[in-house]
Each structure stands twice: as C-alpha cells, then as structure tokens.
Amino acid sequence: MIEFRSISKRFDDGTLAVDDFSLVIPSRRTTVFVGSSGCGKTTLLRMINRMVDASSGALEIDGENVSAIEPVQLRRRIGYVMQNSGLLPHRTVIDNIATVPRLNGVPKRAAHERALELMDTVGLDRAMAKRYPSQLSGGQQQRVGVARGLAVDPNILLMDEPFGAVDPIVRAELQQELLRLQRELGKTVVFVTHDIDEAFLLGDQVVILEKGARIAQRGTPEEILANPASDFVASFVGADRGRRALSIREVDGARVLVDADGNLAGRLVDRPAEASAS
Amino acid sequence: MTWVLANLEQILELSLTHLRLSLLPIVLGFVIAIPLGWVAHRYRLTRGLILTLVGLLYTIPSLALFVVLPPLLGTPFLSEANVLIALTIYAVAIMARSTADALASVDPDIQQAATAMGYSSWRRFWVVDLPLAGPVLLAGLRVVAVSTVSLLTVGVIVGVDSLGYLFTNGYQRGILASVLTGVVVTVLIALLLDRVLALLGAWLMPWTRAGRASRRSRVAQPSQLVDRAPATVGTGVQGSGA
Ligand SMILES: Nc1ncnc2c1ncn2[C@@H]1O[C@H](COP(=O)(O)OP(=O)(O)O)[C@@H](O)[C@H]1O
Ligand SMILES: [Mg+2]
C-alpha cells in the first residue's frame, strides 16, 4: 500500500506542481493517474521512488516513510517504465533487462538467465537478446522497458505514459499484454496517462487530476462514468458525448444502443455475455 | 625521391619521435579535460568561466608559450617538457569544451531512467553519461590528435626533434624534397592517428555501429498504423556530424 498524506511539491522556480495531495494506493491493484499535460502526474509518480522529494507532507510505502529510505536503494526495489522506454542505448537488450539485478549484485549469469525468462514473459523473441535498442521497433523497446521494470520482481511498478509514443495498434497490443501480466503477477501498478480510454481500460482505481494534481474524482471506471463528480470530469471522460453517451432505440421490438454520433454501438441484452475464457 | 631513399632512416626515426611526442599531450589533454569539462557542464556558474579561459589559452601563440613556460615552470629552455606541456595545454583547451558539449549531448530521458533504476550519480557518470558522451568526445579527440601532430612541428624551433626538423633543415639547406617530405609525413601521421582513434571508437562503442537508422524519434503518427520492423531502410541519417 502506498499512501500520500497531504503531499505538496513546490519546485525551486516556484511552480506548485502538487498542491495538498492525499491518496491511498491499494496493493496488487492498478491505480491510474490521468489528466492533461502539466497537471503533476509525473511529479506524483516520481515522489514514490524519490526522484522528486515532497516539499511537505508524508509518503508511506507499507507504513514506512520513504524519506527514511535511502533513494538509491529504494529505486532498486521499485520498477520504473517510462515513455520512449529510456533504455540504455549502449547496452544490449539482455543487459538492459539485467541492469537492476546487476546493480544489486546478482552474478551476470543468473541475471542473464532471468532476463531471458522475462523476455518470454513480455512476449519478446529471445533472438533479440543481443540487439541494441536502436535495432528494435518502438513497441519492442517498450516491451524491453517493461521487462526491465519487472527484473527484480518488485512489488511496485511505476509506469509513466509507457505506451504514449507507439502507434495505436501496438499500443492496444501492449495494453492487453499489461492486463494479462497484471492478472498473472498482481503488482501494485501506478500508471500515468493523459488518455482516458487507457485509464478506464487498465485502472482498478482511476484518479482524475487537474492542475496542481488536485483530485477531480477518484473511483473505479464504473463509478466515474456513472456519476461524474463535476462538469469537468463529465467532459474529460466524455460521458456527455461521442461513443460514451449511448441511447436506446427500438428496432422491430429489439433494443439497440446508439452513440451520440448516431453510430450503432450494439444491442441491449438481458445480461452481459459470459466473458470468454482466454 | 632519391633524397627520401637516401634519408629513409632519419625520416623514420623522426616519424617515430614525432608520434611518441604527440601521444603524451593527446592522452594527458583528454584525461585533464574530462573533469574540467564535467565541472563546466555541471555548474552554470563555472561554465562560462572555464570555457572562456580555455578559449583564451588556445589563442596564445605556441612560440610564445614555449618561451614563457621555462621561467614559469623552472624547466630548461631547450627541454622537451616545455613543448609537451604547451601541447597539453592546447589539447585541454580543445578537449574541455568538447567534453562539456559531449556531456550536454546525452539524452536527459536516459539519464532520468538510469537514476530511476538505482544508479548512484557517481556510477551513472562512469557507466552511462560518459559512454553516451563518447561519440562527441571522440570527435573532439580526433581534432586534438590532428592539431597536436601539426603543432608539434613548431617544437623544432626550441630544439625538440620532430618532423619539423625536415622543414627547418630543408629550408636552410635549400632541399625542397626535405620540406615536402616533412609536410607529407606529418599529414600521414595525423591521418593515421585519426584513423586509429576512429577504429578505437567503433570498437569501444559498438552500439554506434548498430542500427544507424534511428529509434526514439519514431513517434507514432496516425497514418502509420503498422509497428515498424527494425529499421533497415536507408534513411540517409548516417554521420549526423557532431
Ligand atoms: N524540475 C522541475 N522544475 C520546475 N518545474 C517543474 C519541474 N518538473 C515539473 N515541473 C512543473 O510542474 C508541473 C507538473 O509537471 P509534471 O509532473 O511533469 O506534469 P505531467 O506529468 O502531468 O505532465 C508543470 O507545470 C511542470 O512545468
Ligand atoms: Mg509527465
């Protein structure tokens, strides 16, 4: 469990990036911070591994105040995945994945073996182990980034717009992979995005943020869609328009759903079809 | 040509001396410039100061430096040390700026990622920042090498043997072949060192050879819906030139 208690962050230049932020992030679930650019998502995320230190307030991981933990040690037990993968361009894929275990003193052989297993886990062909990041596609690089984030089997995985720079098809694929991984691994994932669809797809808990990391609404996707807390939230999640605003239309005694643009969204049935076992 | 053949032994000996004397300033210049360049890069205050200072150093005429150094350092007037120190100063002058530029060329995203993984700043400098600054460092070092080889010829005026001897001696005795040979061999040595450094760089930085057609810039574009395979298409971005 990660707990933010009245956290504020003012940068040296006077920017108040986070203004009195409080939140509990439950273990083994995915929490998504979503909001427009500059609202403080990255700053919040980086406080968890002390890349940024709070100006005031307390941040606890499993009841332990992070300010009491040495930053370098703290970071080695928290996975971090960022946009553009942040892979070390001068290290091969396998060395990139093995980076943190090696920092922790795991022998090279063991670290490499584990790295190969992780390549399987994230769906990368082992044949790519000796390639450099520049020899991979954007989607493959992100997979390496995820594998690297998982390398020390951390309890916490921080992801900062990890799929923001890949094209839509690859992004959808990576999102599904993450859902699958999360079902298998059950990490405490804190995921940052500016894409509300991504937030609803991945988040068990979604936190919609406004400037200064002020919480506009927090809840499950269902709760937020059912009861937008404000006009801002309603407009941000698109509850009042497009494919999220569905209406019922009767056709030959059956009821079909039509979105705000008049496109057919589906047919209303008594209960949702059983989720097909995958 | 006959002159060259007749004096082959001397030419060879001078070449070797020249090469030997060039190496020390190049290596020393590099080693001294790294911390200087780091300080210049790291602190905004010192950046201007250091870079202006080394810029000024470079403008001092070499002959003046040869003359000024002995009383300053207490070295004998006709000592190799003066020339070596002077050339090291020039090497530092070029290399300190290169180092500052090289460190500034490292992608801040990658540095952030390295920090996030748990590199201490000291360790990150040696295994992430410095290697990634490598290509720009190498470009600077190649300039230093060529410039040092060329400047060393002036050393003959203060009695230090080098290929410059072929200039002065040839000039005094009116042997054009000697002067020409001096020029050609000096250029050849410069080219040789440059080549060796380039190869050394390619060997030490294998990733710069892999996949020149680059990566991170490939941000998703709505029109490109297919996950691009490892770039093999020649996009003509080779040799971006630092
Ligand atoms: N190191 C910094 N120094 C000064 N201001 C910063 C720094 N990092 C972020 N900010 C500012 O803090 C605010 C929040 O930034 P950030 O957390 O990166 O937002 P987001 O990730 O939501 O786009 C922005 O106004 C940004 O300009
Ligand atoms: Mg951000």
Side-chain angles (χ1 to χ4, degrees):
Chain A
M1 189 178 83
I2 304 171
E3 188 172 1
F4 287 81
R5 276 209 297 254
S6 297
I7 291 273
S8 293
K9 173 65 189 180
R10 189 182 288 284
F11 284 107
D12 293 339
D13 65 356
T15 313
L16 186 60
V18 175
D19 183 12
D20 195 20
F21 180 88
S22 295
L23 180 77
V24 171
I25 294 175
S27 295
R28 307 189 145 266
R29 293 277 178 280
T30 301
T31 293
V32 179
F33 293 152
V34 58
S36 35
S37 177
C39 72
K41 307 180 293 292
T42 296
T43 305
L44 283 179
L45 198 70
R46 289 187 170 179
M47 285 180 181
I48 298 173
N49 68 357
R50 291 197 63 189
M51 300 267 288
V52 173
D53 278 324
S55 309
S56 65
L59 202 162
E60 291 179 356
I61 297 177
D62 295 330
E64 190 180 5
N65 196 317
V66 290
S67 64
I69 309 173
E70 207 277 312
V72 170
Q73 294 308 320
L74 177 71
R75 290 173 199 145
R76 288 185 191 173
R77 55 186 177 88
I78 296 180
Y80 192 91
V81 186
M82 57 196 265
Q83 192 172 343
N84 289 325
S85 75
L87 297 179
L88 302 176
H90 59 311
R91 298 269 177 86
T92 56
V93 165
I94 193 166
D95 283 331
N96 261 288
I97 298 174
T99 303
V100 191
R102 295 286 289 135
L103 283 174
N104 281 336
V106 175
K108 187 163 182 168
R109 236 191 124 100
H112 274 191
E113 240 158 65
R114 166 99 179 112
L116 287 172
E117 287 168 19
L118 278 162
M119 289 182 73
D120 301 338
T121 309
V122 300
L124 273 171
D125 190 342
R126 285 186 179 208
M128 294 183 177
K130 293 288 176 207
R131 291 205 192 159
Y132 287 100
S134 62
Q135 297 169 305
L136 304 182
S137 71
Q140 290 164 341
Q141 289 182 27
Q142 289 311 122
R143 285 174 196 267
V144 178
V146 173
R148 183 176 68 178
L150 293 170
V152 288
D153 199 16
N155 292 328
I156 299 172
L157 188 59
L158 309 178
M159 308 184 86
D160 193 350
E161 310 209 24
F163 311 142
V166 293
D167 56 64
I169 289 187
V170 178
R171 186 180 313 148
E173 210 176 284
L174 290 170
Q175 288 166 345
Q176 290 306 322
E177 289 276 337
L178 182 63
L179 285 170
R180 174 184 65 81
L181 273 177
Q182 178 62 346
R183 273 195 304 272
E184 288 169 13
L185 304 175
K187 303 289 182 194
T188 305
V189 176
V190 189
F191 192 103
V192 161
T193 179
H194 58 258
D195 176 356
I196 187 67
D197 294 327
E198 187 168 61
F200 279 171
L201 176 67
L202 301 175
D204 298 308
Q205 167 173 252
V206 172
V207 184
I208 298 178
L209 298 170
E210 288 181 77
K211 195 157 175 40
R214 273 177 284 265
I215 299 180
Q217 190 167 3
R218 179 187 67 81
T220 63
E222 290 84 358
E223 287 165 355
I224 293 173
L225 253 185
N227 282 307
S230 62
D231 290 347
F232 170 82
V233 173
S235 142
F236 190 81
V237 305
D240 52 355
R241 61 171 193 275
R243 60 191 180 76
R244 288 240 162 76
L246 304 178
S247 51
I248 298 173
R249 193 180 293 166
E250 298 255 351
V251 181
D252 297 336
R255 286 175 299 171
V256 294
L257 292 170
V258 178
D259 71 16
D261 302 324
N263 298 319
L264 197 63
R267 178 164 181 264
L268 198 63
V269 294
D270 284 343
R271 59 184 163 78
E274 295 273 320
S276 59
S278 52
Chain B
M1 209 57 201
T2 38
W3 183 89
V4 173
L5 290 177
N7 295 276
L8 204 55
E9 201 174 324
Q10 190 193 22
I11 296 172
L12 219 63
E13 199 187 311
L14 285 175
S15 300
L16 285 179
T17 309
H18 199 103
L19 195 61
R20 176 176 63 80
L21 291 178
S22 302
L23 288 180
L24 191 70
I26 296 172
V27 171
L28 267 183
F30 183 73
V31 171
I32 297 171
I34 295 283
L36 265 182
W38 180 81
V39 174
H41 163 70
R42 184 73 175 67
Y43 304 100
R44 209 175 311 158
L45 262 176
T46 48
R47 183 178 171 87
L49 192 73
I50 289 180
L51 294 186
T52 311
L53 210 72
V54 296
L56 281 177
L57 279 180
Y58 197 65
T59 61
I60 306 174
S62 49
L63 207 50
L65 209 52
F66 295 157
V67 175
V68 168
L69 280 177
L72 225 59
L73 303 170
T75 43
F77 251 101
L78 296 181
S79 149
E80 254 179 35
N82 302 320
V83 174
L84 292 183
I85 291 170
L87 292 184
T88 302
I89 290 176
Y90 289 128
V92 169
I94 299 175
M95 210 52 216
R97 174 171 284 275
S98 283
T99 305
D101 291 347
L103 291 172
S105 76
V106 180
D107 185 341
D109 270 359
I110 292 167
Q111 296 176 310
Q112 296 275 321
T115 301
M117 277 185 294
Y119 278 100
S120 61
S121 40
W122 173 254
R123 192 153 176 173
R124 197 192 80 185
F125 176 79
W126 291 108
V127 302
V128 179
D129 300 1
L130 200 58
L132 291 182
V136 181
L137 284 177
L138 178 65
L141 193 61
R142 288 169 72 175
V143 174
V144 168
V146 171
S147 130
T148 303
V149 168
S150 144
L151 277 171
L152 182 59
T153 55
V154 185
V156 76
I157 294 174
V158 288
V160 172
D161 270 351
S162 72
L163 287 166
Y165 176 78
L166 295 180
F167 302 168
T168 49
N169 192 47
Y171 178 73
Q172 279 159 11
R173 295 166 50 194
I175 311 172
L176 185 62
S178 171
V179 177
L180 283 181
T181 306
V183 173
V184 169
V185 177
T186 306
V187 169
L188 282 180
I189 290 186
L191 287 178
L192 175 80
L193 271 186
D194 186 61
R195 217 41 239 143
V196 166
L197 285 173
L199 287 174
L200 198 68
W203 178 68
L204 284 172
M205 301 183 283
W207 73 92
T208 54
R209 282 174 296 159
R212 285 270 179 83
S214 130
R215 31 179 256 289
R216 289 169 38 78
S217 50
R218 58 175 83 199
V219 173
Q221 273 156 27
S223 58
Q224 296 172 290
L225 289 178
V226 194
D227 190 12
R228 274 131 302 179
T232 44
V233 196
T235 46
V237 291
Q238 295 181 342
S240 49

